[in-house]
């Protein structure tokens, strides 16, 4: 297939691009590189532009004879979304709506959408299944849910084929250590812990140790980024006209903050100092996925089921790329 990947210079998008290209697809990346990295994109495959630029998107869809879109583009920081809700509405929702209009105008009606567990908010019952009510508690989750609703309507009204993949905590890097995670600012736990191992920060702060969990720290579901990429390839093969489908993507189990820190200590063989800080407002004690629908509908199963193995791939990337891609301003 001829595929357009929006946000393909980002963390998850770049891993999906590599996997899909190896699968024989013709890949074009459309990205403003606001938070991604040109160095993460295969040479000659990047088209720089805004997802909300309808004329540009239409031109690319026509000229490259695109069959389907994988839509990773957007902004994804919960705290930032609380401070800048209008920015999130513009970048996530409005830009997506414009792109969907462009797709419809040229007859491209197949899409796999990068959604999030944040659409569920803070449910009290675990694990989180696709039937769990979607009640987002921040603008990030709300804008992603709104995009899902737009796609659902496109499927019903115009016969589109759409898949929404709701990620839990993406983690890890390619086993070869040549493609990985590089955010500025970094907010994900595993790379923050590994920065301590690298001597780039003095300690990791554990935000609260009095939660109703086995060790008092928050529990989350960590899924390897290459497993996420494989799910996108599977979703492409299962798009059906007129159907909107959604699947959770996680490991199916939870690990506490302390378990993550200990896994990083084992993976790196280094001491990692920690300190206890106050709880962060809005942090649910436990979040982890029910992945049975992904297993059934996509035929997908995480290959990385061991937390230390996930941390080891991340460490292989961070220790060989201590400055990340080091391409800012390029």
């Amino acid at each position: 297939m001829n595929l357009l990947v929006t946000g393909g210079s980002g963390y998850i998008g770049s891993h999906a691009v590599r996997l899909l290209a190896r699968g024989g697809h013709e890949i074009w990346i459309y990205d403003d590189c606001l938070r991604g990295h040109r160095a993460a994109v295969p040479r000659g495959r990047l088209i720089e532009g805004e997802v909300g630029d309808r004329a540009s998107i239409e031109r690319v869809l026509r000229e490259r004879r695109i069959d389907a879109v994988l839509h990773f583009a957007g902004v994804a920081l919960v705290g930032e979304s609380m401070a800048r809700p209008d920015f999130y509405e513009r970048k996530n929702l409005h830009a997506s709506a414009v792109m969907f209009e462009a797709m419809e105008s040229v007859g491209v009606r197949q899409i796999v959408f990068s959604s999030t567990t944040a659409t569920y908010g803070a449910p009290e019952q675990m694990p989180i299944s696709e039937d769990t009510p979607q009640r987002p508690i921040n603008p990030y989750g709300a804008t992603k849910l709104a995009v899902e609703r737009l796609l659902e309507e496109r499927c019903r009204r115009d016969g589109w084929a759409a898949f929404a993949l709701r990620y839990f905590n993406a983690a890890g890097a390619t086993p070869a250590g040549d493609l990985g995670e590089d955010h500025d600012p970094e907010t994900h736990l595993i790379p923050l812990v590994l920065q301590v191992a690298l001597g780039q920060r003095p300690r990791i702060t554990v935000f609260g140790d009095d939660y109703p969990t086995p060790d008092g720290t928050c529990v989350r579901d960590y899924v390897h980024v290459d497993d996420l990429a494989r799910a996108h390839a599977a979703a492409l093969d299962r798009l059906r006209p007129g159907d909107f489908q959604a699947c959770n993507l996680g490991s199916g189990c939870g690990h506490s903050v302390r378990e993550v820190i200990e896994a990083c200590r084992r993976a790196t063989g280094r001491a990692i100092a920690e300190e206890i800080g106050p709880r962060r407002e809005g942090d649910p004690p436990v979040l982890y996925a029910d992945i049975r629908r992904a297993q059934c509908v996509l035929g997908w199963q995480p290959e990385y089921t061991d937390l230390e193995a996930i941390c080891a791939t991340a460490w292989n990337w961070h220790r060989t790329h201590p400055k990340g891609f080091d391409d800012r301003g390029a």
Side-chain angles (χ1 to χ4, degrees):
M1 298 176 76
N2 293 335
L3 302 176
L4 185 66
V5 181
T6 71
S9 76
Y11 174 40
I12 303 171
S14 63
H15 285 74
V17 164
R18 176 173 292 190
L19 179 84
L20 292 164
R22 288 175 176 171
H25 297 286
E26 186 77 5
I27 309 293
W28 297 97
I29 294 97
Y30 189 88
D31 205 324
D32 61 8
C33 295
L34 176 68
R35 295 183 177 176
H37 300 275
R38 294 172 182 85
V41 174
R43 189 179 300 276
R45 292 287 147 177
L46 176 63
I47 303 167
E48 292 199 48
E50 294 278 348
V51 170
D53 184 339
R54 177 170 175 170
S56 177
I57 286 282
E58 283 190 14
R59 183 171 60 252
V60 171
L61 292 169
R62 285 198 179 97
E63 291 178 355
R64 309 299 180 185
R65 298 182 179 181
I66 298 300
D67 298 306
V69 173
L70 290 98
H71 185 28
F72 294 91
V75 283
L77 298 176
V78 169
E80 181 185 55
S81 78
M82 299 294 285
R84 304 178 66 191
D86 292 345
F87 176 64
Y88 272 67
E89 187 167 334
R90 184 171 73 253
K91 295 292 288 186
N92 288 352
L93 177 55
H94 292 168
S96 296
V98 170
M99 185 180 73
F100 298 162
E101 291 171 0
M103 290 171 61
E104 178 65 24
S105 72
V106 299
V108 178
R109 298 187 176 95
Q110 298 187 92
I111 185 169
V112 179
F113 173 53
S114 169
S115 193
T116 172
T117 181
T119 65
Y120 295 112
E124 295 181 0
Q125 292 189 340
M126 294 294 132
I128 298 171
S129 76
E130 291 80 3
D131 295 325
T132 298
Q134 289 177 284
R135 296 168 181 160
I137 59 174
N138 54 64
Y140 167 55
T143 55
K144 286 287 192 175
L145 177 57
V147 175
E148 285 194 21
R149 295 290 181 259
L150 289 178
L151 288 173
E152 200 168 6
E153 175 63 16
R154 286 285 181 183
C155 292
R156 185 193 64 79
R157 187 184 66 208
D158 302 318
W160 282 34
F163 230 117
L165 300 177
R166 299 170 186 155
Y167 311 154
F168 281 64
N169 291 47
T174 57
D178 59 341
L179 193 63
E181 189 168 10
D182 181 9
H183 299 119
D184 184 19
E186 185 57 73
T187 61
H188 291 177
L189 178 60
I190 290 175
L192 289 173
V193 175
L194 295 178
Q195 286 176 7
V196 181
L198 286 168
Q200 295 174 339
R201 62 175 59 235
R203 63 190 60 83
I204 186 70
T205 301
V206 178
F207 293 103
D209 64 350
D210 58 351
Y211 286 93
T213 61
D215 66 16
T217 65
C218 287
V219 171
R220 297 292 183 266
D221 188 332
Y222 296 88
V223 56
H224 195 277
V225 64
D226 279 346
D227 283 331
L228 293 177
R230 289 191 305 102
H232 285 79
L236 272 176
D237 291 338
R238 290 161 177 79
L239 290 169
R240 299 290 181 266
D243 281 353
F244 172 83
Q245 303 176 78
C247 282
N248 292 335
L249 298 181
S251 68
C253 63
H255 295 283
S256 72
V257 173
R258 282 210 167 104
E259 287 176 328
V260 170
I261 295 170
E262 191 55 42
C264 287
R265 287 179 178 135
R266 294 194 300 269
T268 64
R270 300 189 180 185
I272 296 173
E274 62 180 90
E275 65 179 2
I276 304 301
R279 289 190 184 191
R280 291 183 299 195
E281 185 178 359
D283 259 354
V286 179
L287 295 173
Y288 66 96
D290 180 339
I291 60 172
R292 286 177 295 179
R293 183 178 294 182
Q295 291 169 325
C296 178
V297 174
L298 296 177
W300 174 85
Q301 179 73 29
E303 292 183 358
Y304 287 85
T305 58
D306 179 71
L307 179 62
E308 185 178 341
I310 293 175
C311 294
T313 65
W315 176 239
N316 197 27
W317 158 257
H318 286 287
R319 69 180 177 81
T320 56
H321 298 78
K323 294 183 179 179
F325 289 103
D326 201 20
D327 66 346
R328 292 182 180 87

